[in-house]
Amino acid sequence: KVAMPLPNPAMMGAGILALGTAALGVFDIFRVPGLEDQIKELEAEVDRLEGEIDRLSGLNDDYEDLNELLEDEVAELALINDELNATTTDLEGQVKNLTIEVVELNETTQELYTRGEDLEELNQELNQTQVDLKVEIDELQGLETSLNETNELLKDRIEDLEDTVDGECGDAM
């Protein structure tokens, strides 16, 4: 057996009305003369309803087409949403990594700052040591000068003593 598709309910109603009208046309002999105007009005109403059914059927087809387009758009938006979610996840990971790098850079900066302070302190100590050494060098140069002068005086005195000793030894001999 082949399953027959169910017709549109509005089409079924129109079909029943059309069959009823056709049946009345076949059995003209059973017509009541006073009902002829009502039958024409009903036939006109049936024709109008059939036109309305055709119009609504066309609108239904248009809405089905629009619904298919909408479903396609929804599917595309779902894909875009998935891509955005994946991008968001990637960006969140990158933000976490960058945050870690910022913390590490801050720690490194703090270490460098501390080391800079230590080096500055060491530099100040070295500068003070340099000043102290210059003072000591000046003192040593002064002492050297004084020792050189004393040495010259001692040499002169030794020469004088040698001359005196030589003179006294030469006189004693």
Side-chain angles (χ1 to χ4, degrees):
K1 283 184 173 181
V2 176
M4 298 292 287
L6 291 176
N8 193 338
M11 293 293 279
M12 283 180 65
I16 292 172
L17 286 174
L19 284 175
T21 304
L24 285 176
V26 170
F27 299 110
D28 253 354
I29 53 172
F30 296 111
R31 286 192 180 183
V32 177
L35 295 177
E36 193 66 32
D37 290 336
Q38 287 181 349
I39 291 172
K40 286 182 182 177
E41 287 175 10
L42 287 175
E43 286 176 348
E45 184 66 20
V46 167
D47 290 341
R48 188 189 68 77
L49 288 175
E50 284 177 347
E52 185 66 17
I53 288 170
D54 289 342
R55 185 185 72 80
L56 290 175
S57 179
L59 283 176
N60 189 41
D61 291 342
D62 291 343
Y63 285 127
E64 285 177 2
D65 292 343
L66 288 173
N67 192 32
E68 287 176 14
L69 289 174
L70 182 63
E71 287 174 358
D72 291 343
E73 291 295 322
V74 167
E76 285 182 35
L77 288 174
L79 289 174
I80 291 170
N81 188 42
D82 291 344
E83 290 174 3
L84 286 174
N85 286 338
T87 302
T88 299
T89 302
D90 289 345
L91 288 175
E92 286 172 349
Q94 290 177 9
V95 166
K96 286 179 184 176
N97 290 338
L98 288 173
T99 301
I100 291 169
E101 286 183 32
V102 166
V103 168
E104 290 173 354
L105 286 173
N106 284 338
E107 289 172 356
T108 303
T109 302
Q110 185 60 39
E111 289 172 6
L112 289 173
Y113 179 75
T114 302
R115 188 156 189 188
E117 288 176 340
D118 293 344
L119 290 173
E120 181 64 31
E121 189 176 309
L122 182 61
N123 189 35
Q124 289 175 358
E125 289 173 8
L126 287 173
N127 287 339
Q128 184 59 44
T129 302
Q130 184 180 12
V131 168
D132 292 346
L133 286 174
K134 283 182 182 179
V135 168
E136 286 183 27
I137 287 172
D138 289 344
E139 288 175 3
L140 287 173
Q141 285 176 344
L143 185 58
E144 179 184 22
T145 303
S146 175
L147 285 174
N148 284 337
E149 289 173 359
T150 303
N151 190 27
E152 286 300 316
L153 283 173
L154 287 174
K155 281 182 185 178
D156 289 344
R157 281 191 179 168
I158 289 174
E159 284 178 11
D160 288 345
L161 281 174
E162 285 177 351
D163 289 341
T164 305
V165 167
D166 284 339
E168 284 182 12
C169 282
D171 286 339
M173 281 202 198

